[in-house]
């Protein structure tokens, strides 16, 4: 598939055009410059053209060791990998010395470029459109990314630059990816449950507090500096998806913004970043919760685990920055004790020590992810469940209320992802939370459902005689 990168200085409307082409508000958009930092790919459609579009950070002149310099390196990597660059300038506010400098950069790289003058609908934009000719990159295409004007002319310019043969045999299948324009999975009851298939790509979200090392960990997975990293907290803003393979299996992994306590989230931009991260969590199958091993189990870490459990995702814990630990045996014993004590809602969750910096433990982490994913998809037959239920009730009978013992009749699994069960009983309200926990813990131990959320729903059994009227004597 043809790959097209959107480039330009900050705040010229790159992310707005990206959202226009993918057909959804995927990239974060704000009035302040420099919102986008990483490369964000998406499946785009422009009339009859289908291609991959890549949103990039605004080009800025900066030293290589600064955050802006690292952002520029990511943008230059996108230019090198793309078949075509859409160079956006702001027709409303006119050209700047930055635009001229980056036009020179594009000429030196020698790639194909289409010059796009955005905000061309604004009053006074005609002068900026004419000035764009001075960049020496050909005739500018005037568009309005916000209002969708000029899209036909942009389509023609892309075809002229690449040739019609570049789009002759494109596969226009919809992308099953929230970072590429697909809708989240349907709610329960709206669509058939997906069948477990280990050959399908495994969707993983990487979450955690800011500066826990999430992006560094993903770069180690990929073996390249794909994600923007650095000592600054909160570098990642968008939820970015990348694909790779682990032992021959396709994996789609989502990097997310650091999740902070709600009380500390005040700025609009951070709220958008957190909402983007939550959407990635809901789309994922397995969620890797990255904890900084030097300060693990902060209150926010426990809140993140609660969130994953409520969403019903399959969790795996990665204790990152293991390379910084000196007394590993003592800390490992402490981590195991705290994991069991502080996370009872996902008892038996797989926890792995890793180092995104050195790559230590990466393969063990992926094995834990694959094992947890299989458990999350597990199905148990009704016959086995009811044989087990009879033994559990015989070993520990349900409570008696007002002299009447609650009657537990049968049990069945209604879905997986996560494992969800229904217990039919005479009085659901009288069974009690303690007995429900007894059954849930028994399911974990007897059927190996460790480390994943379990849903146990109580349902009142129907009385077969309720509809019969009493015969008159």
């Amino acid at each position: 598939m043809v790959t097209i990168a959107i480039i330009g200085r900050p705040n010229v409307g790159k992310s707005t055009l990206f959202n226009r082409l993918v057909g959804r508000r995927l990239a974060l958009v704000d009035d302040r410059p420099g919102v986008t930092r990483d490369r964000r790919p998406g499946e785009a459609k422009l009339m009859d053209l289908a291609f991959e579009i890549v949103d990039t950070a605004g080009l800025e002149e900066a030293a290589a060791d600064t955050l802006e310099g690292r952002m520029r390196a990511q943008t230059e990597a996108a230019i090198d990998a793309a078949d075509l660059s859409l160079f956006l300038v702001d027709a409303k506010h006119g050209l700047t010395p930055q635009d001229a400098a980056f036009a020179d950069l594009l000429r030196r790289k020698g790639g194909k470029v289409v010059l796009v003058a955005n905000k061309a609908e604004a009053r006074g934009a005609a002068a900026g459109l004419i000035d764009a000719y001075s960049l020496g990159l050909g005739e500018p295409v005037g568009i309005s990314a916000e209002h969708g004007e000029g899209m036909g002319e942009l389509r023609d310019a892309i075809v002229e630059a690449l040739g019609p043969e570049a789009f002759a045999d494109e596969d226009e299948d919809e992308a099953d990816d929230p970072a590429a324009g697909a809708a989240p999975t349907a709610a329960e009851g709206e669509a058939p449950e997906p069948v477990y298939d280990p050959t399908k790509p495994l969707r993983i979200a990487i979450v955690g507090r800011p500066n826990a090392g999430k992006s560094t960990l993903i770069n180690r997975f990929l073996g390249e500096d794909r994600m923007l990293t650095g000592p600054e907290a909160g570098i990642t803003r968008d939820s970015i998806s990348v694909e790779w393979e682990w032992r021959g299996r396709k994996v789609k992994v989502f990097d997310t913004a650091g999740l902070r306590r709600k009380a500390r989230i005040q700025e609009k931009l951070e709220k958008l970043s957190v909402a983007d991260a939550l959407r990635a969590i809901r789309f994922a199958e397995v969620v890797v919760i990255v904890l900084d091993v030097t300060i693990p189990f902060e209150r926010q870490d426990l809140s993140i685990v609660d969130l994953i459990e409520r969403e019903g995702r399959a969790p795996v814990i990665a204790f990152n920055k293991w390379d910084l630990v000196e007394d590993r045996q003592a800390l490992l014993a402490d981590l195991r004790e705290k994991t069991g004590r502080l996370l009872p809602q996902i008892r038996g969750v797989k926890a792995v020590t890793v180092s995104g910096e050195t790559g230590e433990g990466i393969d063990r982490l992926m094995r834990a992810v694959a094992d947890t994913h299989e458990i999350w998809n597990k199905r148990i037959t009704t016959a086995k469940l009811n044989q087990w239920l009879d033994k559990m009730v015989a070993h520990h009978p349900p409570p008696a209320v007002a002299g009447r013992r609650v009657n537990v009749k049968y049990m069945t699994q209604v879905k997986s992802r996560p494992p969800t069960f229904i217990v039919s009983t005479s009085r659901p309200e009288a069974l009690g939370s303690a007995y429900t926990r007894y059954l849930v813990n028994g399911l974990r131990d007897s059927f190996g459902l460790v480390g994943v959320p379990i849903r146990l729903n109580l349902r009142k059994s129907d009385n077969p005689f309720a509809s019969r009227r009493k015969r008159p004597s």
Side-chain angles (χ1 to χ4, degrees):
M1 179 177 282
V2 170
T3 300
I4 298 176
I6 305 175
I7 66 168
R9 61 180 172 82
N11 223 26
V12 294
K14 298 183 297 300
S15 295
T16 303
L17 178 59
F18 175 87
N19 288 340
R20 171 71 57 183
L21 294 175
V22 299
R24 298 182 64 133
R25 290 179 63 87
L26 297 179
L28 302 184
V29 177
D30 195 71
D31 292 337
R32 78 185 69 183
V35 171
T36 302
R37 288 175 171 175
D38 271 299
R39 288 175 274 163
R40 177 163 196 160
E43 297 299 323
K45 190 162 179 63
L46 180 59
M47 299 181 179
D48 59 328
L49 305 183
F51 50 91
E52 182 179 60
I53 192 73
V54 181
D55 191 17
T56 65
L59 285 164
E60 295 185 74
E61 293 284 3
D65 58 347
T66 63
L67 175 59
E68 291 75 15
R70 298 195 301 274
M71 289 163 57
R72 174 173 174 144
Q74 288 284 323
T75 299
E76 291 197 30
I79 295 171
D80 294 336
D83 300 297
L84 174 72
S85 295
L86 300 181
F87 181 36
L88 260 66
V89 296
D90 188 333
K92 178 180 178 180
H93 294 100
L95 299 184
T96 69
Q98 275 184 305
D99 293 319
F102 297 135
D104 290 338
L105 170 68
L106 289 170
R107 278 193 291 271
R108 289 198 302 272
K109 285 187 173 292
K112 296 179 179 179
V113 180
V114 169
L115 179 61
V116 182
N118 191 27
K119 308 179 187 180
E121 85 288 1
R123 182 179 300 176
L129 192 63
I130 294 173
D131 286 345
Y133 281 93
S134 65
L135 295 175
L137 294 174
E139 181 179 356
V141 180
I143 70 164
S144 170
E146 184 174 0
H147 301 291
E149 298 175 11
M151 293 297 110
E153 290 79 0
L154 179 60
R155 179 258 179 212
D156 294 342
I158 290 173
V159 172
E160 183 179 351
L162 292 174
E165 65 279 0
F167 301 95
D169 300 310
E170 290 293 354
D171 181 3
E172 299 184 6
D173 290 343
E174 293 293 328
D176 187 23
D177 182 342
T185 52
E188 184 179 349
E190 294 180 1
E193 180 186 350
V195 177
Y196 174 58
D197 183 357
T199 64
K200 290 184 177 180
L202 177 59
R203 298 193 298 269
I204 305 172
I206 310 295
V207 305
R209 288 184 289 113
N211 222 24
K214 301 180 293 296
S215 298
T216 302
L217 190 62
I218 292 178
N219 286 342
R220 184 58 62 179
F221 282 152
L222 303 176
E224 61 174 293
D225 291 334
R226 172 60 181 82
M227 298 298 176
L228 186 65
T229 62
E232 304 90 348
I235 288 179
T236 302
R237 285 175 173 167
D238 292 89
S239 293
I240 309 294
S241 71
V242 291
E243 296 183 3
W244 62 294
E245 284 194 6
W246 175 73
R247 296 189 175 184
R249 182 170 185 180
K250 291 183 179 179
V251 177
K252 187 184 295 288
V253 60
F254 296 85
D255 191 16
T256 63
L259 298 174
R260 297 200 301 162
R261 281 169 36 197
K262 187 178 291 187
R264 294 185 178 180
I265 300 174
Q266 297 177 352
E267 294 186 0
K268 171 191 170 186
L269 181 56
E270 188 169 2
K271 289 179 180 178
L272 292 173
S273 296
V274 170
D276 209 27
L278 296 178
R279 190 162 64 93
I281 289 171
R282 295 185 183 106
F283 183 80
E285 297 171 311
V286 180
V287 179
V288 176
I289 306 154
V290 182
L291 305 186
D292 185 337
V293 76
T294 61
I295 45 171
F297 296 115
E298 295 282 295
R299 179 179 297 180
Q300 181 61 7
D301 294 327
L302 303 181
S303 297
I304 291 171
V305 174
D306 281 338
L307 169 66
I308 306 307
E309 196 278 336
R310 288 197 305 272
E311 292 293 336
R313 304 298 93 186
V316 173
I317 293 178
F319 291 110
N320 195 26
K321 305 184 183 181
W322 194 240
D323 56 301
L324 302 179
V325 176
E326 295 182 1
D327 190 353
R328 294 189 170 188
Q329 285 301 112
L331 182 56
L332 192 59
D334 183 59
L335 292 174
R336 286 173 177 167
E337 185 274 330
K338 287 181 177 177
T339 301
R341 175 167 53 86
L342 298 175
L343 307 177
Q345 71 273 43
I346 47 172
R347 200 182 76 183
V349 63
K350 295 185 182 297
V352 181
T353 56
V354 299
S355 170
E357 193 67 34
T358 66
E360 181 182 358
I362 296 296
D363 196 63
R364 283 188 286 112
L365 176 60
M366 284 306 302
R367 287 201 303 271
V369 166
D371 292 345
T372 301
H373 184 251
E374 187 173 350
I375 294 170
W376 188 63
N377 282 275
K378 196 167 187 177
R379 280 275 189 182
I380 305 167
T381 65
T382 300
K384 287 183 178 179
L385 280 173
N386 283 287
Q387 290 172 5
W388 169 85
L389 183 61
D390 289 342
K391 293 178 182 177
M392 294 293 286
V393 170
H395 180 264
H396 180 27
V401 180
R404 296 172 54 202
R405 189 167 295 283
V406 178
N407 185 16
V408 178
K409 296 188 175 182
Y410 69 88
M411 183 178 192
T412 187
Q413 183 175 359
V414 293
K415 65 184 290 290
S416 58
R417 307 164 68 90
T420 303
F421 305 88
I422 285 179
V423 173
S424 178
T425 176
S426 58
R427 287 183 293 167
E429 73 285 351
L431 198 58
S433 58
Y435 200 81
T436 301
R437 283 196 302 272
Y438 165 69
L439 294 178
V440 168
N441 290 334
L443 285 168
R444 292 193 191 280
D445 296 337
S446 300
F447 297 106
L449 300 177
V450 294
V452 298
I454 294 178
R455 303 287 186 258
L456 186 63
N457 302 316
L458 305 178
R459 187 174 66 185
K460 188 173 183 178
S461 54
D462 296 330
N463 182 354
F465 302 101
S467 61
R468 298 186 182 182
R469 293 182 178 179
K470 187 176 181 181
R471 292 182 180 180
S473 55

